Amino acid sequence: MRQMKVDKLGIDLLTHDPVVILKDIEGKRYLPILIGPFEATAIALALEGTQAPRPLSHDLMKSILETLEAKLVQVVVHDIKDSTFYARLVIETDGETEEIDARPSDAIALALRVGAPIYVSDKIALEETVYDKKAEAEEKQRFQKFIEELKPSDFRD
Amino acid sequence: MRQMKVDKLGIDLLTHDPVVILKDIEGKRYLPILIGPFEATAIALALEGTQAPRPLSHDLMKSILETLEAKLVQVVVHDIKDSTFYARLVIETDGETEEIDARPSDAIALALRVGAPIYVSDKIALEETVYDKKAEAEEKQRFQKFIEELKPSDFRD
C-alpha cells in the first residue's frame, strides 16, 4: 500500500466532472479520481477547514462514528473495475477491525474530517497513478541548483 | 410527538429548491421541508427502492450503523430556528440510546433506508404543519359517499 494525500480538486476536461487528485507523499505520482459534485463540495469544505452551519452528510457520518466510539483508522482505494474506483473504510471498534465498502469520494471526505490517512493498494499505485512530469522537472531543477551551489568546502570532511 | 411519513418530493415555487413533504399518518397535516438537491436525490432513490450500483453517502451511513451493530430507532424533526429545521437520530447500541444532531434531509434519507419511523415534535406539529385542505375535501366527500350509500339495513342491530 502507498499513502496518498489529497492534492487538490479539479475538473475533468473531457467530461467536466469534478476530480479529486491524490498525490503520494513524495509528490511524484498522482491519482485522479472522478467524483460527484456533492462529494467534491464535501471534500472542498474539509480542505478549506470550513465548518458548515449544520452538519453535512459526512459531518453526520463523523458524529455517528464518534457516538458509537468507533475510529476510522484509514481508508484504502483498493481496486478499479470498469473505470470505477473501489474504496473501503477500515474502522476500529472494541479492539476489532472492520472493513466497510465505500466510494472513494465518501471515504476521502470522511478521512479528511477525522484526520485518517488515505492509502491506495499496490495494484492502484502501479496501474493507475500517473507520473508527475512537473514534479520530476522541479526535482531536476532542485538537483541542478544543489550542484551549482556546492562549494569546495562541502567536500571536506 | 407525531409520526409522519414521507409523502413526496416537490419543488418550492418561490426558491425552486427541492422540498420533502412529510404527512401525518391520517394524511391531514403536512410539513414541507426545504432540502438540498443531493439529499433530494438520496430520498428519491429510497422512495423508489432503487439501489445505486455503488453505495451513496446514506447507503454508507447505513453500512456503518450495521457494521457497528447500532440500530436507528427513530428520527425526530424536533425544532426550527431561523427557518432551519433541526432533527436528531435516535440510535440504540449495546442497550443504550444515543441521540445525534442531524439535518432533517440526512435523517429522512437514512430512516427510509433502514425502515425507521419519522416523528416530529409537538412544537413542530403544532406550529409548522399545514392543514391539507384537499385531504379535508376528500374526507368530506368520503363521508358524503358513506352517508349516501347507507342502507336501512345498516341501522339494524
Side-chain angles (χ1 to χ4, degrees), chain A residues 75-90:
Chain A
V75 306
V76 187
V77 182
H78 63 92
D79 206 1
I80 184 168
K81 288 174 203 157
D82 300 329
S83 309
T84 302
F85 285 99
Y86 285 66
R88 60 172 161 250
L89 313 182
V90 181

Side-chain angles (χ1 to χ4, degrees), chain B residues 39-59:
Chain B
E39 291 75 15
T41 310
I43 291 172
L45 289 173
L47 286 176
E48 289 165 9
T50 306
Q51 187 71 45
R54 294 291 296 142
L56 300 181
S57 302
H58 298 89
D59 300 320

Side-chain angles (χ1 to χ4, degrees), chain B residues 2-104:
Chain B
R2 184 184 287 246
Q3 192 174 352
M4 309 288 273
K5 290 205 163 181
V6 178
D7 186 47
K8 60 186 169 197
L9 288 159
I11 297 290
D12 185 82
L13 291 178
L14 216 64
T15 62
H16 297 284
D17 284 322
V19 190
V20 58
I21 295 164
L22 301 182
K23 224 167 201 176
D24 64 5
I25 301 296
E26 296 94 42
K28 284 190 190 160
R29 301 192 71 89
Y30 63 88
L31 175 68
I33 302 178
L34 278 177
I35 58 175
F38 166 76
E39 291 75 15
T41 310
I43 291 172
L45 289 173
L47 286 176
E48 289 165 9
T50 306
Q51 187 71 45
R54 294 291 296 142
L56 300 181
S57 302
H58 298 89
D59 300 320
L60 178 56
M61 263 182 238
K62 183 187 169 193
S63 296
I64 292 175
L65 288 177
E66 282 170 356
T67 304
L68 298 173
E69 290 173 12
K71 192 189 165 198
L72 181 64
V73 183
Q74 57 182 224
V75 305
V76 187
V77 182
H78 62 90
D79 205 0
I80 183 168
K81 288 173 205 159
D82 300 329
S83 309
T84 302
F85 285 99
Y86 285 67
R88 61 173 159 247
L89 314 181
V90 181
I91 289 181
E92 233 173 58
T93 170
D94 278 334
E96 308 237 331
T97 303
E98 305 276 358
E99 294 187 349
I100 301 176
D101 178 39
R103 292 177 301 165

Side-chain angles (χ1 to χ4, degrees), chain B residues 112-128:
Chain B
L112 288 173
R113 278 166 174 78
V114 302
I118 298 162
Y119 289 89
V120 298
S121 65
D122 289 337
K123 174 188 166 173
I124 297 295
L126 280 169
E127 295 171 13
E128 302 297 332

